[in-house]
Amino acid sequence: MSSSPLKFSSLDQPLFGGLLKGDLVEYLDFVADRFVPVLAGRQLSVWRILRGQDPFMQKNVPKYTPSYVKTVEVWAEASHRKIKYAICDDVQTLMWFANQRAVEYHVPLYLGDHFGEDHVQTHMVLDVDPPEGAGFDVVVGSALLIREALVEAGLESIVKTSGAKGVHIFVPLEEHSPDDVAAATRAVAVRAEKLDPSLATTAYIREERGGKVFLDSTRAWGATVAAAYSPRLREGLPISFPVPWESLGDVTPADFTIKTRFEGDPWAALMPKPQRLPDDLVAEGHTIPVARVVAMHEGKRRKAQREREK
């Protein structure tokens, strides 16, 4: 168990899906030296499971948070209030969250307490999301389309299971404006879709996807993503795990759980060096409408149409 002075409580309590709180604590202790660098310097949001309650996402740290947990206050425009986020920079903080029954760990794509026009986004991320009932094979096929589009643009990437049904594809970046990163992400998704439009789609509105795999290019600006090595609230508590591209077709997300033990730090080992986004990719992306904005306008149009038809 961890060398942290923290005293763990109720390790034999049920946690989720037949697993115990002790199983979560044991896994996070095992992975801590590789997990903390993934979380470090980033505002942390967690999904917790309190005994007898439904899971809930926690952004604001509770009042009883110990003084050794580093925090940062950030103004949240959506809720018009300040949120005090934890910054998990050390093993002791991680193990405190483990004792708090924090199962999932989500972080933004930028470092520090600053978010705005000039924040530094460290990665471009594309999320491959399969339709309901689809197998992982279509996820793999769609992820390979994204990889092909990236390679053609001269970019190297790393892939990890999301811990749910899909995968996340990361491209480490040199310094770019968040607007340019968001644009490049859209361009990669559109280029990948064109490689096999029968398999993948960039349609943001679910009803327009036609049973295809969704290439989600909206993880930009302030979006968060489940961190590498993070458990997920799914049956068996799978973890989001990095996989070599050449091995992606040989695994499923359920292969990696909090019971999994592995050597080394595959996330750090497989991660390419930061790269510069090609100018043509960024320029192309700026001509592609933002998916969420398109969906919002479409929603308003449909609502107006329903009103007219009454």
Side-chain angles (χ1 to χ4, degrees):
M1 194 56 65
S2 174
S3 58
S4 164
L6 179 69
K7 293 182 178 179
F8 298 97
S9 60
S10 308
L11 295 178
D12 59 348
Q13 279 185 357
L15 181 72
F16 186 84
L19 292 164
L20 305 178
K21 176 182 173 181
D23 295 321
L24 173 69
V25 170
E26 188 175 332
Y27 166 72
L28 290 174
D29 180 60
F30 161 76
V31 79
D33 61 333
R34 291 151 292 181
F35 194 25
V36 168
V38 181
L39 305 175
R42 300 176 193 268
Q43 300 159 24
L44 180 62
S45 302
V46 297
W47 277 93
R48 294 176 61 194
I49 310 178
L50 298 188
R51 194 173 184 183
Q53 298 183 26
D54 290 334
F56 65 96
M57 175 166 272
Q58 174 185 292
K59 296 184 178 183
N60 247 329
V61 295
K63 292 181 179 179
Y64 55 81
T65 300
S67 59
Y68 60 77
V69 175
K70 183 180 176 181
T71 60
V72 60
E73 282 195 341
V74 179
W75 176 257
E77 191 61 41
S79 55
H80 297 285
R81 64 188 178 108
K82 283 187 176 180
I83 294 179
K84 183 181 282 189
Y85 286 94
I87 305 290
C88 185
D89 281 352
D90 54 64
V91 173
Q92 189 176 21
T93 296
L94 176 63
M95 299 316 297
W96 178 78
F97 272 106
N99 199 43
Q100 295 294 306
R101 301 166 66 107
V103 178
E104 293 195 12
Y105 296 74
H106 294 248
V107 289
L109 302 176
Y110 58 91
L111 290 165
D113 60 355
H114 175 71
F115 171 66
E117 289 288 342
D118 57 346
H119 79 258
V120 177
Q121 188 164 325
T122 56
H123 297 82
M124 175 170 69
V125 174
L126 290 108
D127 183 0
V128 179
D129 184 20
E132 193 66 38
F136 193 61
D137 57 328
V138 297
V139 173
V140 173
S142 301
L144 292 174
L145 296 179
I146 291 176
R147 188 193 188 195
E148 184 177 342
L150 288 169
V151 169
E152 289 178 353
L155 295 169
E156 293 184 73
S157 58
I158 182 175
V159 63
K160 68 181 179 70
T161 63
S162 68
K165 298 183 299 179
V167 298
H168 298 143
I169 298 165
F170 277 61
V171 178
L173 298 176
E174 295 179 2
E175 189 167 335
H176 289 276
S177 76
D179 204 30
D180 282 350
V181 177
T185 310
R186 295 194 298 274
V188 170
V190 167
R191 289 183 182 188
E193 177 186 30
K194 288 178 179 177
L195 292 172
D196 189 351
S198 67
L199 174 61
T201 179
T202 57
Y204 187 76
I205 300 173
R206 191 177 299 273
E207 294 78 17
E208 295 180 356
R209 295 177 191 168
K212 300 175 187 178
V213 178
F214 177 45
L215 307 182
D216 186 355
S217 62
T218 63
R219 292 189 182 273
W221 287 94
T224 62
V225 64
Y229 305 128
S230 173
R232 303 300 303 274
L233 279 166
R234 304 291 191 276
E235 188 64 33
L237 290 183
I239 58 176
S240 182
F241 197 75
V243 180
W245 274 110
E246 59 271 18
S247 302
L248 188 61
D250 301 324
V251 305
T252 70
D255 292 343
F256 311 103
T257 75
I258 64 167
K259 292 291 190 177
T260 299
R261 297 294 179 265
F262 54 92
E263 295 181 357
D265 185 353
W267 184 245
L270 293 169
M271 184 67 70
K273 293 180 180 179
Q275 298 151 84
R276 188 81 194 160
L277 292 170
D279 292 341
D280 66 318
L281 188 72
V282 173
E284 179 183 333
H286 280 299
T287 69
I288 301 169
V290 178
R292 293 183 191 275
V293 176
V294 173
M296 179 184 68
H297 288 311
E298 177 63 14
K300 290 180 178 179
R301 186 194 68 77
R302 293 183 181 186
K303 182 179 179 181
Q305 184 175 346
R306 288 195 297 271
E307 292 293 328
R308 289 194 298 270
E309 292 173 350
K310 284 183 179 179

